[in-house]
Amino acid sequence: MTTTPPPSLPSDLDGFERSAATSLDPATYRYLANGSGANVTRDANRRAWDQWTLRPHVLRDVSHISTATTVLGAAVELPVLIAPTAMQRMAWIDGELAMARASAAAGTVLVTSMAASYSVEDVAAAAPGGTRWAQMYLLRDAGRTRALAERARDAGYAAIVLTVDGAAVPYGRRRLADGLELAQPFSFPNMLLPGEPLDTPLTELVNDFDPATTAADIERLASWSGLPVVVKGVLRGDDAARAVDHGAAGIVVSNHGGRTHDGCAATAIVLPEVVDAVAGRAEVYVDGGIRAGIDVARALALGARAVLIGRPTLWGLAVDGTPGVVAVLAALSEELVRVMAFCGAPGLDSLTRDLVDPNGAVHHHA
Amino acid sequence: MTTTPPPSLPSDLDGFERSAATSLDPATYRYLANGSGANVTRDANRRAWDQWTLRPHVLRDVSHISTATTVLGAAVELPVLIAPTAMQRMAWIDGELAMARASAAAGTVLVTSMAASYSVEDVAAAAPGGTRWAQMYLLRDAGRTRALAERARDAGYAAIVLTVDGAAVPYGRRRLADGLELAQPFSFPNMLLPGEPLDTPLTELVNDFDPATTAADIERLASWSGLPVVVKGVLRGDDAARAVDHGAAGIVVSNHGGRTHDGCAATAIVLPEVVDAVAGRAEVYVDGGIRAGIDVARALALGARAVLIGRPTLWGLAVDGTPGVVAVLAALSEELVRVMAFCGAPGLDSLTRDLVDPNGAVHHHA
Amino acid sequence: MTTTPPPSLPSDLDGFERSAATSLDPATYRYLANGSGANVTRDANRRAWDQWTLRPHVLRDVSHISTATTVLGAAVELPVLIAPTAMQRMAWIDGELAMARASAAAGTVLVTSMAASYSVEDVAAAAPGGTRWAQMYLLRDAGRTRALAERARDAGYAAIVLTVDGAAVPYGRRRLADGLELAQPFSFPNMLLPGEPLDTPLTELVNDFDPATTAADIERLASWSGLPVVVKGVLRGDDAARAVDHGAAGIVVSNHGGRTHDGCAATAIVLPEVVDAVAGRAEVYVDGGIRAGIDVARALALGARAVLIGRPTLWGLAVDGTPGVVAVLAALSEELVRVMAFCGAPGLDSLTRDLVDPNGAVHHHA
Amino acid sequence: MTTTPPPSLPSDLDGFERSAATSLDPATYRYLANGSGANVTRDANRRAWDQWTLRPHVLRDVSHISTATTVLGAAVELPVLIAPTAMQRMAWIDGELAMARASAAAGTVLVTSMAASYSVEDVAAAAPGGTRWAQMYLLRDAGRTRALAERARDAGYAAIVLTVDGAAVPYGRRRLADGLELAQPFSFPNMLLPGEPLDTPLTELVNDFDPATTAADIERLASWSGLPVVVKGVLRGDDAARAVDHGAAGIVVSNHGGRTHDGCAATAIVLPEVVDAVAGRAEVYVDGGIRAGIDVARALALGARAVLIGRPTLWGLAVDGTPGVVAVLAALSEELVRVMAFCGAPGLDSLTRDLVDPNGAVHHHA
């Protein structure tokens, strides 16, 4: 990735957030920026990365640095995937379409949300050359999910991302309201069955999450779509291992950016446990609080294959559409290259666990 | 529990406290809200729950969730009991009677204080269908306690709660004064011997706590009343085990909401030790700083059978009497259901210790 | 101790400090209140006690509570000794004489400073019935120290307190100046050789501390005086054991209230190590940041025989002379009785180490 | 060192920084004071020293204290070397020349930067009697570095300091700009090949750092110059040991004062690991956040042979040129003497690891 941000765009992700906070209307910004409850988990996500201080290697040849890797066999130019986020038209006029173009331009993977405001087919058509995964929940009416899985396969998506941290959603009432008001103008073409009107409100569909979803459903998704299934929303090694036992090709360590339930563990804390439990039988990704190249390096040092970023891509979208998202990814890429050089790591496989260290620790060698 | 709070009431327990702080006169609010000393223990209680971050399970069937359990064999709709608090007429015109109605309506257990402003008999009559326990201290004049134990038994109370953390009270002089001024208009019908005037001041009776109370008194209480005895105010495993050796049917891990002495351990910190020491020979409950459904889940994950809440019930009472308390319990119930769904726990017995983790910890898997 | 403070005096030690801060001139208050450097150690002393949360015992008979003990064989009514502080006339017109009367009235031990503004003989005469120890440094001119040791013995002092944390003093220049300006009007009768004028400035004498003082000097002091020697200013187990090997009868774990050098360990942190290293061969005392009865209880639970308080006695003196100091001790005594009752400890020997617990710790019982 | 600062100069290093902040123009001050990113590492450096509380020894003879030692065989009066910093003319009219005179006057080692505004020959001529080391990077055009190494040898420099933490520099663009604007008026005579104009801009030369530098280059430097090579910028034991395997005579534990990359470990945290890994086969030095004599003592207690200070020498220069730097070193020296006396350490070899202790720790001796 050699794209450099134009001079008028912010140069780091916090700058993009500040800029987006002024260009979005306040209610939309709050909806996107906030987590659940008192934002304890959302904020813990960020701090947890900082807990891992770098112990860089020196005197290693870093005259050539590459951030390229593969995810589920597909080449990407940097190990930063675009997380699924709902209703991207909140942030930019043609939302998911602009995001898709940015993802393809940056050479990474786009994960399209089941709650996208454009259909998986339209998103695919917007940037045919890109790699796309399709995110979905298992709905009570499993036929809806199956229909989407098949459509995604037919539209050339490379994987299904099954989000599994939504079990509390059907039991909630109040908090959802904020977002739903914002959602009123949008349609959800990926959640509909053939013939259903485009303006079916999200409430019905979301309350339709199937709280009976179990690991066996991973296999169902795989058989419906013929695609590899990535399970998103895991915070424990045992759950990750069980998901892999049931056919998961990838695990996303995620607490939904702190949006589903406050008070749960930060992803940077539990990532090593999940990596160890999966033991190379699947790829492990992580999201939550990643805001700089150093965080990407930390995640990979802890064993992640790649990271996903959600909110920052929305800030990029809000600031400048496709070029804004490209600039966000370019900033991360440039920062990642620098931190790799600093750590003596010419390639991503040199980002090994010994490079990170919980920063509070004092080393005794008495 | 399916009761939902009416739209005008606060939606969570902190909202109830804020609302009560404006509806109560300032001196009363301070008396109820404050702990002892610099409130170190009171505040540590709350923070200590937050130390236990959730490590939720996913991919478990939570299509049916129940918060029902039993305490000492009695069915309750949720594992949140109403802690004994003195002089509830401070908060609402008919104090304990309104509280009793709320407890019965919510399907839980009411613990009536020895320092109630209504008699155990009146409280029983206010909500005959509810389950009630009677809290008491052993007074120097043990006959007073025995009389109350027998009255409680006769009035259909299901258990005696013996509070054992009051040994410092007879040695105190100054701090008690604040509350006693507030107490002037109230009578203490449960601390009197037959024939004593209703207006006997609390000072005499409270200074009458017997500092010679020992574990053998648990057996005395049991033999007087024929009821199971729950020992409240334990912060150590060894003390808990000793109490069980002397016949305690239940242990309440409690520091009296930080009111008896500042500087002692938070209940969420010592709960696991007590649970392990009791080893299933009695039920273990806990109070102190529980303000949300997630705290209830944490307590049960750490091995508590149920929790008690004190101040929040007073805030509910102060805000709206019986419906206020019902709304407090309904808010906790709704939050508990959501966190159980989030954790993959269809029933309370699925709230196991692996679900919680001290949040400061960084997991090494080097 | 049954003395109760008159209603007009503060009721706790922080109240006495606030009151003294207004009654002393600002420069004097600052000189007395401040430690060295950025006050890191002074403030760490206080916080360190708070680190030890209480794990109180319940169901123990505390109908009779006694705070009495002995120190070096002398009976005291409470385990709180009066630390040596210089030039007490800064705080009250007849300084050390008023302090001596308070100490005797409260039934504890007075440690008279080598830098007192009254002679050891005058101090003894002010309260003949009290127990007194005489604090001293070894000066370069050892004859001065020997002369004081002999005078103290002749004046009925029960022990010599040898302060050993002053080795940096002869190497200092600047910081001393503040205090010395304040010291100008005072004389130092305990540092003089016979015939020297009373107005010999402190500078000369203090710069005269012998930096060659070693453990062998403990034996010298003992042989000169025939009295037991207490070594004050130890922060390590190995040093304490060495001092005892050389005849020390007592060890004061002390960092001089943070006044000699900033950045050293808090006394509450190192106390257990010293207690274990001494292993009962001598008595161990501690000072630094003790401001409440709970701190006294913590210190004794960690193995101290008694504590010393310095600044609080000066605040008492500044507020009301002898009755002020008595009130300070009475407040501590009352608080100590309450915390003992709370902990199920009828006597000081029931204050055992299991009662305290570092409060940050979360107990795992997975 | 017996020089005392004249009364008008600040008395400690923080005072020098405050004074320099007013005498330098704001942009220059910011450039010198700031680290990279959010200054997390720069600030962590300072805090990390404070983490090591002192456990001083008492009752040791400190009537004679010496801060003298040797570094690479050369005698120094105190274990505080002057770190290499670029373009010292930013701070004082004749920059490096004034610094050289101060270093010689204070009896310590001057490390001259490759990016000095004066040539190594001019610096040598400014204070011929002093000990000097020459700092350099390996540039892509290795001939430049070789030329400097040979010039340094010929000018009587005693060692080469090879900085190895610059691998990220060639990959950076934006952040460098601030400093380069400031650098415009300066020339870089030590980075030029014979015949190149003095006004060649730093940008080209700095972007010329060779990212292919490896441990084998240590041997190259040694063979070019015939001088011992000190490797600066190591934060890990394994890297340090590898450098020594390749002939390093000294290791500087350094994160470049937090200037090269934010988020890496504080030097005080990793120092013990490096000392243990080197195991006496080379000398270990450390820089980063050392601002007081106690920090010097801590570093030596943890096994450093000496420390380097960078920014404080610039503050001294900015405040008063040569006398300002001398005063900075004198302040550290005086503080070091005091802390050595306080710790019972007559010489630097008495500063042993048992004297320091991570201050958060509570010692259990249950």
Side-chain angles (χ1 to χ4, degrees):
Chain A
M1 280 212 26
T2 57
T3 323
T4 22
S8 59
L9 289 179
S11 63
D12 62 18
L13 274 57
D14 286 331
F16 271 97
E17 176 162 6
R18 284 190 300 271
S19 188
T22 65
S23 63
L24 290 167
D25 77 273
T28 299
Y29 172 69
R30 275 199 307 275
Y31 173 73
L32 298 175
N34 273 344
S36 57
N39 286 321
V40 171
T41 296
R42 182 196 69 173
D43 297 345
N45 277 344
R46 286 203 71 166
R47 277 201 316 278
W49 292 114
D50 287 334
Q51 257 189 299
W52 297 104
T53 53
L54 291 186
R55 304 284 300 274
H57 276 293
V58 290
L59 294 171
R60 295 189 167 188
D61 182 348
V62 288
S63 45
H64 301 284
I65 292 186
S66 166
T67 64
T69 186
T70 62
V71 284
L72 298 183
V76 289
E77 294 189 34
L78 81 163
V80 179
L81 319 185
I82 296 180
T85 53
M87 304 178 287
Q88 296 176 2
R89 293 187 64 192
M90 280 186 183
W92 191 253
I93 182 67
D94 62 351
E96 287 81 2
L97 307 186
M99 189 75 88
R101 293 180 199 110
S103 180
T108 190
V109 170
L110 174 77
V111 188
T112 302
S113 169
M114 187 184 223
S117 20
Y118 287 96
S119 70
V120 287
E121 294 83 1
D122 289 347
V123 170
T131 302
R132 289 171 309 278
W133 298 352
Q135 180 273 339
M136 58 198 71
Y137 292 91
L138 205 69
L139 302 183
R140 276 193 208 271
D141 181 353
R144 291 180 189 277
T145 302
R146 178 171 189 163
L148 179 58
E150 292 168 351
R151 286 166 59 191
R153 175 199 61 206
D154 296 344
Y157 284 68
I160 302 295
V161 175
L162 176 65
T163 302
V164 297
D165 59 10
V169 173
Y171 293 97
R173 251 152 311 189
R174 285 174 305 218
R175 279 197 42 83
L176 207 54
D178 312 338
L180 292 180
E181 281 173 32
L182 295 163
Q184 289 319 337
F186 304 115
S187 54
F188 301 94
N190 296 324
M191 304 175 84
L192 304 177
L193 286 175
E196 283 184 320
L198 253 179
D199 57 357
T200 309
L202 183 59
T203 346
E204 293 171 22
L205 299 163
V206 169
N207 268 325
D208 240 14
F209 284 0
D210 188 356
T213 306
T214 66
D217 292 307
I218 301 168
E219 286 148 349
R220 275 216 284 176
L221 258 291
S223 73
W224 289 340
S225 65
L227 295 176
V229 176
V230 173
V231 174
K232 175 169 178 285
V234 174
L235 291 171
R236 312 172 53 102
D238 52 5
D239 281 4
R242 195 158 47 94
V244 175
D245 291 343
H246 284 268
I251 299 288
V252 185
V253 174
S254 174
N255 53 34
H256 220 111
R259 291 174 78 87
T260 41
H261 207 290
D262 209 10
C264 61
T267 52
I269 302 295
V270 301
L271 173 58
E273 176 187 307
V274 172
V275 167
D276 291 349
V278 167
R281 297 190 295 138
E283 295 185 351
V284 176
Y285 321 110
V286 64
D287 67 17
I290 290 164
R291 295 297 178 268
I294 190 174
D295 299 333
V296 180
R298 286 158 165 157
L300 270 66
L302 292 170
R305 181 80 183 179
V307 306
L308 288 79
I309 57 169
R311 291 182 185 96
T313 63
L314 296 174
W315 309 146
L317 209 56
V319 167
D320 198 27
T322 295
V325 178
V326 169
V328 162
L329 291 164
L332 278 183
S333 177
E334 184 182 339
E335 291 168 0
L336 178 58
V337 166
R338 279 177 61 81
V339 75
M340 289 172 71
F342 181 61
C343 288
L348 299 180
D349 55 356
S350 303
L351 294 172
T352 46
R353 205 172 280 186
D354 63 306
L355 286 169
V356 286
D357 201 18
N359 70 355
V362 170
H363 295 265
H364 286 278
H365 298 266
Chain B
M1 279 216 26
T2 57
T3 323
T4 21
S8 58
L9 289 178
S11 64
D12 62 19
L13 273 58
D14 286 332
F16 270 98
E17 175 161 7
R18 283 190 300 271
S19 187
T22 65
S23 62
L24 290 168
D25 77 273
T28 299
Y29 172 68
R30 276 200 306 274
Y31 173 73
L32 298 175
N34 273 345
S36 57
N39 286 320
V40 171
T41 296
R42 181 197 68 174
D43 296 344
N45 276 344
R46 285 203 71 167
R47 277 202 315 278
W49 292 114
D50 287 334
Q51 258 190 297
W52 297 103
T53 51
L54 291 186
R55 304 283 300 272
H57 276 294
V58 290
L59 293 171
R60 295 189 168 188
D61 182 347
V62 288
S63 46
H64 301 283
I65 292 186
S66 167
T67 63
T69 186
T70 62
V71 285
L72 299 183
V76 289
E77 292 189 33
L78 82 164
V80 180
L81 319 184
I82 296 180
T85 53
M87 305 178 285
Q88 296 174 1
R89 293 186 64 192
M90 280 187 183
W92 192 253
I93 182 67
D94 61 352
E96 287 82 1
L97 307 186
M99 190 73 90
R101 292 182 199 109
S103 180
T108 189
V109 170
L110 173 78
V111 188
T112 302
S113 169
M114 187 184 223
S117 21
Y118 286 96
S119 71
V120 288
E121 293 83 3
D122 288 347
V123 170
T131 301
R132 290 171 309 278
W133 298 352
Q135 180 272 340
M136 57 199 71
Y137 291 91
L138 205 69
L139 302 183
R140 277 194 208 270
D141 182 352
R144 291 180 190 277
T145 301
R146 178 169 189 165
L148 178 58
E150 293 169 351
R151 286 166 60 192
R153 175 200 58 207
D154 295 344
Y157 284 68
I160 302 295
V161 175
L162 176 65
T163 301
V164 297
D165 59 10
V169 174
Y171 294 97
R173 251 152 313 189
R174 285 174 306 218
R175 282 196 39 82
L176 207 54
D178 313 337
L180 292 181
E181 280 173 33
L182 296 163
Q184 287 320 336
F186 304 116
S187 54
F188 301 94
N190 297 324
M191 303 176 85
L192 303 177
L193 286 176
E196 284 183 319
L198 255 179
D199 58 356
T200 308
L202 183 59
T203 347
E204 292 172 22
L205 299 163
V206 169
N207 268 326
D208 239 14
F209 284 0
D210 188 357
T213 306
T214 66
D217 292 308
I218 302 168
E219 287 148 348
R220 274 215 286 175
L221 258 291
S223 75
W224 288 340
S225 65
L227 295 176
V229 176
V230 173
V231 174
K232 175 169 178 286
V234 175
L235 291 171
R236 312 172 52 102
D238 52 5
D239 281 3
R242 195 158 47 93
V244 175
D245 291 343
H246 285 268
I251 300 289
V252 185
V253 175
S254 174
N255 53 33
H256 219 111
R259 292 174 77 87
T260 42
H261 207 290
D262 209 12
C264 61
T267 52
I269 302 296
V270 301
L271 174 59
E273 176 187 307
V274 173
V275 166
D276 291 349
V278 167
R281 297 190 295 137
E283 295 185 349
V284 176
Y285 320 109
V286 65
D287 68 17
I290 290 165
R291 294 297 179 269
I294 190 174
D295 300 333
V296 180
R298 286 158 164 158
L300 270 66
L302 292 170
R305 181 81 182 177
V307 306
L308 287 79
I309 56 170
R311 291 181 185 98
T313 63
L314 296 174
W315 310 146
L317 209 56
V319 168
D320 199 26
T322 294
V325 178
V326 168
V328 162
L329 291 164
L332 279 183
S333 177
E334 185 183 337
E335 290 169 2
L336 177 58
V337 165
R338 279 177 61 83
V339 75
M340 290 172 72
F342 181 62
C343 288
L348 300 180
D349 55 354
S350 302
L351 293 171
T352 46
R353 203 173 281 185
D354 63 306
L355 285 169
V356 286
D357 201 19
N359 71 354
V362 171
H363 295 265
H364 287 279
H365 297 267
Chain C
M1 279 210 31
T2 56
T3 324
T4 21
S8 59
L9 289 177
S11 64
D12 62 19
L13 274 58
D14 286 331
F16 271 97
E17 175 161 6
R18 283 190 300 271
S19 188
T22 65
S23 61
L24 291 168
D25 76 273
T28 300
Y29 172 68
R30 276 199 306 275
Y31 173 73
L32 299 175
N34 273 345
S36 57
N39 286 320
V40 171
T41 296
R42 182 197 68 173
D43 297 344
N45 276 344
R46 285 204 71 168
R47 276 202 315 278
W49 291 114
D50 287 334
Q51 258 190 297
W52 297 102
T53 52
L54 291 185
R55 305 282 300 271
H57 275 293
V58 290
L59 295 171
R60 295 189 169 188
D61 182 348
V62 288
S63 45
H64 302 283
I65 291 186
S66 168
T67 64
T69 186
T70 62
V71 284
L72 298 184
V76 289
E77 293 189 34
L78 82 163
V80 180
L81 319 184
I82 296 179
T85 53
M87 307 178 285
Q88 295 174 3
R89 292 186 64 192
M90 280 186 182
W92 192 254
I93 181 67
D94 62 351
E96 287 82 2
L97 307 186
M99 191 75 89
R101 293 182 199 108
S103 180
T108 190
V109 171
L110 174 78
V111 188
T112 302
S113 169
M114 187 184 223
S117 22
Y118 286 96
S119 71
V120 288
E121 294 83 2
D122 289 347
V123 170
T131 301
R132 290 171 310 277
W133 298 352
Q135 180 272 341
M136 57 198 69
Y137 291 91
L138 205 69
L139 302 182
R140 278 194 207 269
D141 181 353
R144 290 181 190 277
T145 301
R146 178 169 189 166
L148 179 58
E150 292 169 352
R151 286 167 60 191
R153 174 199 62 206
D154 295 344
Y157 284 67
I160 302 295
V161 175
L162 176 65
T163 302
V164 296
D165 59 11
V169 173
Y171 293 98
R173 251 152 312 190
R174 284 174 306 218
R175 280 197 41 82
L176 206 55
D178 312 335
L180 292 180
E181 281 173 33
L182 295 164
Q184 289 319 337
F186 303 115
S187 55
F188 300 94
N190 296 323
M191 305 177 83
L192 304 177
L193 287 176
E196 284 183 320
L198 253 180
D199 58 357
T200 309
L202 182 58
T203 346
E204 293 173 21
L205 299 163
V206 169
N207 269 326
D208 241 12
F209 283 0
D210 188 356
T213 305
T214 66
D217 292 308
I218 301 168
E219 287 148 347
R220 275 215 286 175
L221 258 291
S223 74
W224 289 340
S225 65
L227 295 176
V229 176
V230 173
V231 174
K232 176 171 178 284
V234 174
L235 292 171
R236 312 172 51 100
D238 51 6
D239 281 5
R242 196 157 48 94
V244 174
D245 291 343
H246 285 267
I251 300 288
V252 184
V253 174
S254 174
N255 53 32
H256 220 111
R259 291 174 77 87
T260 41
H261 207 290
D262 209 10
C264 61
T267 52
I269 302 296
V270 301
L271 174 59
E273 176 187 307
V274 172
V275 167
D276 292 349
V278 167
R281 297 189 296 137
E283 294 185 350
V284 176
Y285 320 110
V286 65
D287 68 16
I290 290 164
R291 295 297 178 268
I294 190 174
D295 299 334
V296 180
R298 286 158 164 158
L300 271 66
L302 292 170
R305 181 79 182 180
V307 306
L308 288 78
I309 56 170
R311 292 182 184 97
T313 64
L314 296 174
W315 309 146
L317 209 56
V319 167
D320 198 27
T322 295
V325 178
V326 168
V328 162
L329 292 164
L332 279 182
S333 177
E334 185 183 337
E335 291 169 2
L336 177 59
V337 165
R338 279 177 61 83
V339 75
M340 289 172 72
F342 181 62
C343 288
L348 300 180
D349 54 355
S350 303
L351 293 171
T352 46
R353 204 172 281 185
D354 64 307
L355 285 169
V356 286
D357 201 18
N359 70 355
V362 171
H363 296 265
H364 287 278
H365 298 267
Chain D
M1 280 212 24
T2 57
T3 324
T4 23
S8 58
L9 290 177
S11 63
D12 62 19
L13 274 58
D14 286 331
F16 270 97
E17 175 160 8
R18 283 190 300 270
S19 188
T22 65
S23 62
L24 290 168
D25 76 273
T28 300
Y29 172 70
R30 274 200 307 275
Y31 173 73
L32 299 176
N34 273 345
S36 57
N39 286 321
V40 171
T41 296
R42 181 197 68 173
D43 297 344
N45 276 345
R46 284 203 72 167
R47 275 202 316 278
W49 292 113
D50 287 334
Q51 258 190 298
W52 297 103
T53 52
L54 292 185
R55 304 283 301 272
H57 275 294
V58 290
L59 294 171
R60 294 187 168 190
D61 183 348
V62 288
S63 45
H64 302 282
I65 292 186
S66 168
T67 64
T69 186
T70 62
V71 285
L72 299 183
V76 288
E77 293 189 35
L78 82 164
V80 180
L81 319 184
I82 295 180
T85 53
M87 305 178 286
Q88 295 175 4
R89 292 186 65 193
M90 279 187 184
W92 192 254
I93 181 67
D94 62 351
E96 287 82 0
L97 307 186
M99 190 74 89
R101 293 181 199 110
S103 181
T108 190
V109 171
L110 174 78
V111 187
T112 302
S113 170
M114 185 183 225
S117 21
Y118 287 96
S119 70
V120 288
E121 294 84 1
D122 288 348
V123 170
T131 301
R132 289 171 310 277
W133 297 352
Q135 180 273 340
M136 56 198 70
Y137 291 91
L138 205 69
L139 302 183
R140 279 194 206 270
D141 182 353
R144 292 182 189 277
T145 302
R146 178 170 189 164
L148 179 58
E150 293 169 350
R151 286 166 60 191
R153 175 199 60 206
D154 296 344
Y157 283 66
I160 302 294
V161 175
L162 175 65
T163 301
V164 297
D165 59 9
V169 174
Y171 294 97
R173 251 152 311 190
R174 286 174 304 218
R175 281 197 41 83
L176 208 54
D178 312 337
L180 292 181
E181 281 173 31
L182 296 163
Q184 289 319 338
F186 304 115
S187 54
F188 301 95
N190 296 324
M191 303 177 84
L192 303 177
L193 285 176
E196 284 183 320
L198 254 180
D199 58 356
T200 308
L202 182 60
T203 346
E204 293 172 21
L205 300 164
V206 168
N207 269 326
D208 239 14
F209 283 1
D210 188 356
T213 306
T214 66
D217 292 307
I218 301 167
E219 287 148 349
R220 274 215 287 175
L221 258 291
S223 75
W224 289 340
S225 65
L227 295 175
V229 176
V230 173
V231 174
K232 175 168 178 287
V234 175
L235 291 171
R236 312 173 51 102
D238 51 7
D239 281 3
R242 195 157 49 93
V244 175
D245 291 342
H246 285 268
I251 299 289
V252 184
V253 175
S254 174
N255 54 33
H256 220 111
R259 291 174 78 88
T260 41
H261 206 290
D262 209 10
C264 61
T267 52
I269 303 295
V270 301
L271 173 59
E273 176 186 307
V274 173
V275 166
D276 291 348
V278 168
R281 297 190 296 138
E283 294 184 350
V284 176
Y285 321 109
V286 64
D287 68 16
I290 290 165
R291 295 297 178 270
I294 190 173
D295 300 333
V296 181
R298 286 158 165 157
L300 270 66
L302 292 170
R305 181 79 181 179
V307 305
L308 289 78
I309 56 169
R311 291 182 185 96
T313 63
L314 296 174
W315 310 146
L317 210 56
V319 167
D320 198 27
T322 295
V325 178
V326 169
V328 162
L329 291 164
L332 279 182
S333 176
E334 185 183 337
E335 291 169 1
L336 177 59
V337 165
R338 278 177 62 81
V339 75
M340 289 172 72
F342 181 62
C343 288
L348 299 179
D349 55 355
S350 303
L351 293 171
T352 46
R353 204 172 281 186
D354 64 307
L355 285 169
V356 286
D357 200 18
N359 70 355
V362 170
H363 295 265
H364 286 278
H365 298 267

